[in-house]
Amino acid sequence: MNNLLSVENLTMKFGGLTAIDDLSFDAKNNQITSIIGPNGAGKTTVFNCLTGFYKPTNGQMFLHKEDSKISLRKYTDFKIAYVAKVARTFQNIRLFPAMSVLENLLVAQHNELMVASGYSLFGLLNLKTYRDKEQLAVEKAKYWLDIIGLTHRADDNAGDLPYGDQRKLEIVRAMCIEPRLLCLDEPAAGLNPKESAELNKLLKFIKTEKQTGILLIEHDMSVVMGISDHVVVLNYGKKIFEGTADQTKNSKEVIEAYLGVDE
Amino acid sequence: MEKKDIIQSFKDSLFTGLIALALFGPIVGLRTESKGEGLFITPQWGLVFLLVGLCILGRFLINLNSARKTEITFFSKFTSKFSVITEDKAKHFAITAILFAVVFPFLPFTDRYFMDVAIMILTYIMLGWGLNIVVGLAGLLDLGYVAFYAVGAYSYALIATTFGWSFWICLPLAGVFAAFFGILLGFPVLRLRGDYLAIVTLGFGEIIRIILINWYEVTNGPDGITGIPRPSFFGLPFKRSPDEGETSFHLFFNLEYSTMHRIIFLYYLILILALITNYFTLKIRKLPVGRAWEALREDEIACKSLGVNPTNTKLTAFAIGAMFGGFAGSFFATRQAFISPESFTFIESAIIVAIVVLGGMGSQTGVVLASIFLIGITEMFRDLEQYRMIAFGGAMVLIMVFKPKGILANRKPTILMHGDKK
Ligand SMILES: Nc1ncnc2c1ncn2[C@@H]1O[C@H](COP(=O)(O)OP(=O)(O)OP(=O)(O)O)[C@@H](O)[C@H]1O
Ligand SMILES: [Mg+2]
């Protein structure tokens, strides 16, 4: 299977603090790559570098296409999602709470809709080409809402949904940009066991049915061990282990990092 | 209710009275009059005691009310009923309001003064709707909106007096100029957020005003621009005796000459301009760019993560808002026939922002209600002269107390999957 993402010697310093220290790893298409580690290990910072929110102090990140590769460093800000098609969710949910569920999913399709609406001109004239495109966008939203079982709440405000549904909505919202790489920051945080089983199902569906690789930060080991194809373990910004879920479970370094060592 | 509570609230209201005394004592109680040589102080203690008494009584009643710990007080009952009416029947309300606005000039009690106030309210409604795009939808607190109003007014005045072009050519040009200034300001400042943006836009408003005062060669400085052409009714001027080879409005339609014709025409002009602003806003809110504005207001970081370009999106909001400010400015210029920097002070921006915020950010109907309420109340107390700003402040406080999110704070989704559930 082909590599989708390769991170090479990534380093991120905040003043004197090295949040990520010379980190290298790969992620593959149609696989779930989990990044785990104790609090403050630098997991979210890796995401922020990948998705253009931080500019890494050092190192390279490449996204592979069929036979070319693009450097994510070149894209900052909104271009990561727009051009490189890397989508993410946030550790603290970031929906548009006062907008409806459907609107949330339409904002994710903003760029296509903007072109379809002739940068608002066709839309103001209410041309059929635009209305058709908008209908397609609504259908795409409905497709994803059906999958997470929220179609009946499409017209309610996103902020009024229960916590677990908000998490799922944020994930499918990211999927609406048709990403090549989906980065999920602790999607199972705060979910009850039933909800986290549903989440597992959703992630497996995305992994197998869509041309998408998933990067997953997670503390909930039932999620990590249940669905990861590959696990990268960070501690103090350094990679201390890399392997399959089973290998990780039995690794001495990982257990030490989590539980501490007897002096 | 317990006796203790009553004593407590009585003490509290006496304290309120004390504060009121300290405030009203010098402001209202000591009135200076100039008689012949120098100023003399005339005390007005009766009025002071009346006001202080009112404050004590009011505070006591509020205390009694809250001591009962019932949520439903008279006012909130009243206002919630009010908003239910307008929420459920928003469409009916809008149609009724527009019909009323259309027949208003011909109602029996409508006189010159009412018309002037109505034109003023409509101007503020239009400005409110324009600013609503920036503040209400895109969530960018712009405290210098009056700058675009000024740019519109001055572009109109300068173009019209220099080239003698008609209102209908100058109007769009003024809009374009204002939009251009919107973009010019937008580029450097839209990276800023919240309070910082507010401060910079406030500064921009003042800069424009100061340029208007000092750039004497072009703007004629503090003396302002006079002789701005009045609008004509499709080429028919509103004049008693038209120039050689011209027909004026009243002659063409065989009417008795009346200055009211022009006033009525101006009224309809601003009504149409305002309705265009409203129609445009309602339309664009449902387009991708409108949804992106609201999404930016909700969460800019999430927007970036979805590939929405925040700078461009904000710029369009700024430019479009500025454009409508420019249109309103042209109207102002042609109505007054005279403009000077005096008309574009910070207080104007503050009033427009107040209208948008008090109306309920993003609510079009709210802007109408807030304009009528704020401008209407301020006008009603015109006899109080300088104290009428107190009425303005009072009206603001009333809304904030009883409707902290604005008069109409509900938002309808721009698109529905399941249609209207009713
Ligand atoms: N913008 C920033 N400025 C300064 N320090 C930062 C910044 N962002 C992160 N850090 C620091 O970098 C380190 C790693 O933080 P990060 O948020 O990546 O941890 P994490 O692995 O996601 O932890 P958690 O499991 O708690 O979410 C922490 O010590 C944090 O304080
Ligand atoms: Mg984190």
Side-chain angles (χ1 to χ4, degrees):
Chain A
M1 215 173 297
N2 288 336
N3 262 357
L4 173 65
L5 170 80
S6 34
V7 173
E8 294 168 9
N9 311 100
L10 187 70
T11 302
M12 180 78 217
K13 290 186 178 153
F14 298 107
L17 176 94
T18 309
I20 312 175
D21 195 356
D22 200 26
L23 171 71
S24 305
F25 70 94
D26 291 335
K28 294 193 169 70
N29 231 335
N30 297 81
Q31 276 205 355
I32 297 180
T33 307
S34 290
I35 301 177
I36 65 170
N39 290 107
K43 305 176 297 287
T44 302
T45 308
V46 173
F47 272 22
N48 282 336
C49 292
L50 283 172
T51 53
F53 284 89
Y54 293 158
K55 196 171 172 54
T57 320
N58 226 324
Q60 286 294 342
M61 302 158 293
F62 295 107
L63 200 65
H64 301 271
K65 279 196 171 158
E66 285 76 44
D67 40 26
S68 62
K69 59 179 185 178
I70 56 174
S71 165
L72 292 182
R73 271 193 89 118
K74 276 197 275 178
Y75 300 102
T76 49
D77 230 29
F78 72 97
K79 288 206 183 104
I80 289 277
Y82 180 34
V83 186
K85 295 279 174 200
V86 177
R88 72 172 292 181
T89 65
F90 296 87
Q91 193 162 351
N92 312 307
I93 304 178
R94 282 183 179 275
L95 289 170
F96 308 120
M99 298 175 81
S100 79
V101 169
L102 176 60
E103 286 173 315
N104 266 271
L105 299 183
L106 290 186
V107 172
Q109 305 174 53
H110 174 77
N111 290 311
E112 296 114 79
L113 282 174
M114 206 58 193
V115 174
S117 74
Y119 298 91
S120 302
L121 194 65
F122 301 165
L124 282 174
L125 299 174
N126 205 12
L127 295 192
K128 192 162 181 316
T129 51
Y130 169 65
R131 274 181 287 143
D132 291 347
K133 284 274 166 50
E134 190 184 58
Q135 194 51 43
L136 284 180
V138 172
E139 251 137 52
K140 183 157 147 192
K142 185 166 184 308
Y143 167 82
W144 282 108
L145 288 177
D146 283 340
I147 288 172
I148 57 171
L150 278 182
T151 318
H152 64 291
R153 303 214 57 176
D155 297 334
D156 296 338
N157 277 356
D160 295 343
L161 295 180
Y163 190 79
D165 288 343
Q166 294 196 16
R167 282 267 178 221
K168 282 191 270 179
L169 179 62
E170 200 192 12
I171 296 172
V172 298
R173 185 182 67 178
M175 283 309 292
C176 276
I177 76 166
E178 312 238 317
R180 291 162 36 75
L181 176 68
L182 176 66
C183 306
L184 304 172
D185 200 343
E186 301 197 20
L191 301 191
N192 62 35
K194 180 171 158 281
E195 288 170 327
S196 77
E198 285 169 4
L199 178 77
N200 280 5
K201 232 177 79 195
L202 174 66
L203 296 188
K204 276 187 184 150
F205 171 82
I206 293 173
K207 164 182 125 169
T208 47
E209 301 296 320
K210 304 284 153 193
Q211 276 299 312
T212 307
I214 298 179
L215 269 191
L216 176 72
I217 294 179
E218 194 44 75
H219 280 301
D220 184 335
M221 284 304 147
S222 73
V223 175
V224 175
M225 296 309 162
I227 59 175
S228 313
D229 299 292
H230 192 73
V231 180
V232 176
V233 188
L234 292 186
N235 196 17
Y236 295 111
K238 285 200 178 74
K239 181 170 83 181
I240 56 168
F241 186 81
E242 184 171 9
T244 64
D246 280 331
Q247 290 168 341
T248 311
K249 235 184 286 186
N250 303 319
S251 146
K252 200 168 136 272
E253 297 100 310
V254 177
I255 295 169
E256 275 173 4
Y258 270 92
L259 302 178
V261 235
D262 291 331
E263 297 290 307
Chain B
M1 193 176 15
E2 286 169 40
K3 207 172 160 198
K4 207 176 71 199
D5 282 345
I6 297 188
I7 294 172
Q8 185 59 39
S9 41
F10 189 67
K11 273 187 196 156
D12 184 52
S13 31
L14 281 186
F15 184 66
T16 309
L18 212 62
I19 296 175
L21 185 66
L23 281 174
F24 286 123
I27 298 178
V28 181
L30 305 173
R31 188 187 170 90
T32 50
E33 272 168 43
S34 54
K35 288 184 212 140
E37 311 258 313
L39 285 172
F40 294 90
I41 290 176
T42 333
Q44 295 180 297
W45 297 119
L47 193 57
V48 172
F49 285 123
L50 183 72
L51 287 170
V52 171
L54 278 178
C55 287
I56 295 178
L57 189 71
R59 180 77 209 181
F60 190 60
L61 287 179
I62 289 175
N63 278 344
L64 282 190
N65 217 352
S66 54
R68 267 194 293 149
K69 294 200 173 68
T70 39
E71 282 289 300
I72 310 156
T73 62
F74 167 71
F75 280 106
S76 54
K77 210 196 238 164
F78 173 74
T79 47
S80 65
K81 210 177 254 164
F82 187 56
S83 61
V84 165
I85 292 170
T86 40
E87 273 163 32
D88 283 357
K89 305 184 179 158
K91 209 162 200 165
H92 294 213
F93 175 81
I95 292 171
T96 326
I98 292 174
L99 280 181
F100 177 76
V102 169
V103 298
F104 180 77
F106 303 107
L107 294 179
F109 58 83
T110 308
D111 57 7
R112 171 77 197 251
Y113 172 69
F114 268 125
M115 285 301 284
D116 279 338
V117 174
I119 290 177
M120 185 152 104
I121 290 179
L122 279 171
T123 314
Y124 278 107
I125 290 177
M126 175 163 179
L127 287 168
W129 277 339
L131 186 64
N132 209 3
I133 296 176
V134 184
V135 178
L137 295 184
L140 305 166
L141 185 51
D142 179 358
L143 290 183
Y145 193 61
V146 75
F148 306 123
Y149 189 43
V151 169
Y154 269 85
S155 339
Y156 174 80
L158 290 172
I159 298 173
T161 51
T162 319
F163 302 104
W165 293 344
S166 89
F167 177 76
W168 298 106
I169 299 176
C170 300
L171 177 82
L173 283 179
V176 169
F177 268 108
F180 173 73
F181 269 83
I183 294 175
L184 203 69
L185 166 70
F187 254 118
V189 308
L190 285 179
R191 280 165 215 290
L192 304 174
R193 288 161 156 243
D195 315 351
Y196 301 102
L197 180 71
I199 291 167
V200 173
T201 51
L202 191 153
F204 181 74
E206 284 302 287
I207 289 172
I208 291 281
R209 193 173 63 86
I210 287 166
I211 289 178
L212 291 179
I213 293 178
N214 290 298
W215 197 9
Y216 207 91
E217 302 78 53
V218 176
T219 64
N220 209 17
D223 302 340
I225 300 179
T226 47
I228 302 168
R230 300 284 198 170
S232 58
F233 185 82
F234 299 104
L236 302 171
F238 296 91
K239 286 182 190 161
R240 183 183 291 277
S241 39
D243 300 338
E244 203 64 33
E246 240 184 12
T247 340
S248 71
F249 181 80
H250 69 286
L251 291 176
F252 189 85
F253 288 97
N254 243 332
L255 297 168
E256 186 77 28
Y257 176 76
S258 156
T259 46
M260 275 302 269
H261 291 160
R262 195 182 68 230
I263 307 286
I264 292 175
F265 175 71
L266 284 172
Y267 173 84
Y268 281 120
L269 184 61
I270 185 67
L271 181 63
I272 289 170
L273 285 176
L275 287 179
I276 290 175
T277 314
N278 182 34
Y279 179 79
F280 183 87
T281 313
L282 291 180
K283 275 269 157 196
I284 203 154
R285 193 175 90 91
K286 300 193 170 166
L287 292 180
V289 68
R291 277 194 286 265
W293 289 339
E294 292 197 80
L296 270 181
R297 176 195 69 200
E298 295 289 303
D299 196 324
E300 185 169 340
I301 290 178
C303 274
K304 283 187 197 164
S305 81
L306 297 172
V308 176
N309 181 339
T311 317
N312 285 359
T313 312
K314 286 181 187 173
L315 269 183
T316 48
F318 231 65
I320 291 174
M323 181 180 75
F324 286 117
F327 289 157
S330 327
F331 173 81
F332 179 77
T334 189
R335 175 190 166 209
Q336 302 289 87
F338 162 73
I339 50 169
S340 74
E342 284 290 288
S343 312
F344 307 104
T345 48
F346 170 67
I347 186 75
E348 294 295 322
S349 294
I351 291 175
I352 306 166
V353 170
I355 285 172
V356 173
V357 174
L358 298 180
M361 303 262 263
S363 162
Q364 296 290 93
T365 323
V367 166
V368 177
L369 296 176
S371 303
I372 295 175
F373 192 60
L374 285 182
I375 308 297
I377 283 203
T378 325
E379 273 306 310
M380 258 163 40
F381 290 96
R382 185 167 276 286
D383 295 340
L384 294 178
E385 293 161 28
Q386 68 267 44
Y387 300 126
R388 96 201 149 93
M389 284 325 274
I390 295 181
F392 181 82
M396 273 172 46
V397 172
L398 273 183
I399 297 179
M400 283 288 104
V401 168
F402 294 108
K403 287 259 137 185
K405 284 181 172 171
I407 297 174
L408 284 181
N410 72 315
R411 170 188 182 278
K412 271 207 166 155
T414 56
I415 185 167
L416 293 172
M417 187 175 271
H418 303 302
D420 254 324
K421 280 170 278 177
K422 245 182 229 158

